[in-house]
Amino acid sequence: MKEPIRPSACPGLLRIVQALDGGICRIKLAGGELSAEQARAVAHAAEHFAGGVIEATNRANLQIRGITGSHPAMLEGLLAAGLGPRSSGGDDVRNLMLSPSAGIDPHMQFDTRPLAEQILHSLQHRERLHELSAKFAVLLDGGEALAMHEHAHDLWLAPLLLDGETWLGFGLAGCPGTALAAVPLQQGHALAIAVLERFLDLASPEQTRMRHVLGTVSAEDFIAPLAVTLRLGPFAINKAGTDRLGTYPQRQAGKVFVGAAPPLGRLGPPMLRDLARLAEQHGDGTLRLTPWQSVIVPNVDTQCAPRLTAALDALGLLCSAAEPLAHLVACTGSDGCKKGLADTKADARLLATLLPHPQAVHLSGCPRSCAAAHVAPATLLATSAGHYDLYLRDAGQPGFGALRARNLDLHAASDLLARLPTEQHR
């Protein structure tokens, strides 16, 4: 097999990467969607070929941890379930994020799923696009209220209403906010491919992300030769907001979607099988993973939502934003990662019992920030077992933000976090 131009150490479906607790297989879900049968295939793989740990990721994917020995049978089962292509190049570049409520959100301005299918097909089947880095990422937003607007993407697209028609505003190397330019909605696929190919025309093998290229070429010069109908911005992107936990009405009459979160993004095979069963009993037999390491069950009859919520709660999922643990994010930590300086998962569970109110905190075992693709309001960066430096988000500071205190144990950290201004609790 031809060596990739931009080799990656990131796990994939066909690239098992070793960690302290065994191999990791990352399953990139198309639009974050997982059928009940696919969920059972993932549960089977985790149970029979690995340590039984399944993680929801911050890119709305799943990964299996603790894989031991050879794994052809595991991969064949996942491929047979339709969980990815048989080429590693096609799998690596399937980094297209949608809203978890695509197609069902009452606030959406258009259904992103048909366009997403076109883009994903091109990513999988155009060999030149396999030259992209496995980290290169695209966001397609449809104006949904349930949307992640904090993850920086190499290319993002979001709807704009111009002269009474829906256009796609887009930006490079950032988050939806102000669009650089816009194209008619029907040119969305052509724009995405043109941007990706323009990146490959300009990028050296060492330049894996859009921000690297924009360090040498202005955004205006980057888009100037694109063979699409461009309407130059800037255009402000409107943002709505919905929590990812709880029950919310759908665009379809009489239907709701219900959101819940496995604690700290981890779920075992029995929980995933039970989720699949509940999706079949109460919804349309599908689950949607979210970039908040949670899951939603779509297309639920309104009157069934209370029973479904009770069943999700009985499985051990977090169903309410009032749960302190629902606001904490933690990487694998020293329990499964050689670079981790603290057992962040266990520490997060303890911290949840110490904080007097729900608070958004990211616990990271090392500076790589694997568990959070955006800067959290507060970050605890491990210095040793049970001890952390505290950083607070600050737009004027790089990385995690401004250093507030050093080498805190969890009791001292919780005391300090409790005294922060209210706006930093979110």
Side-chain angles (χ1 to χ4, degrees), residues 46 54 60 76 128 145 153 173 192-193 242 267 297 302 307 366 400 422:
I54 304 164
E76 188 55 42
R128 193 183 182 209
H153 283 74
I193 302 308
T242 292
L267 58 165
V297 182
T302 303
R307 291 199 303 275
C366 80
F400 295 120
T422 303

Side-chain angles (χ1 to χ4, degrees), residues 16 21 39 42 86 136 151 172 198 218 247 253 297 422:
I16 310 299
D21 58 347
V42 174
R86 291 182 177 268
F136 196 98
H151 284 11
L172 307 174
R198 174 72 168 153
S218 72
T247 299
V297 182
T422 303

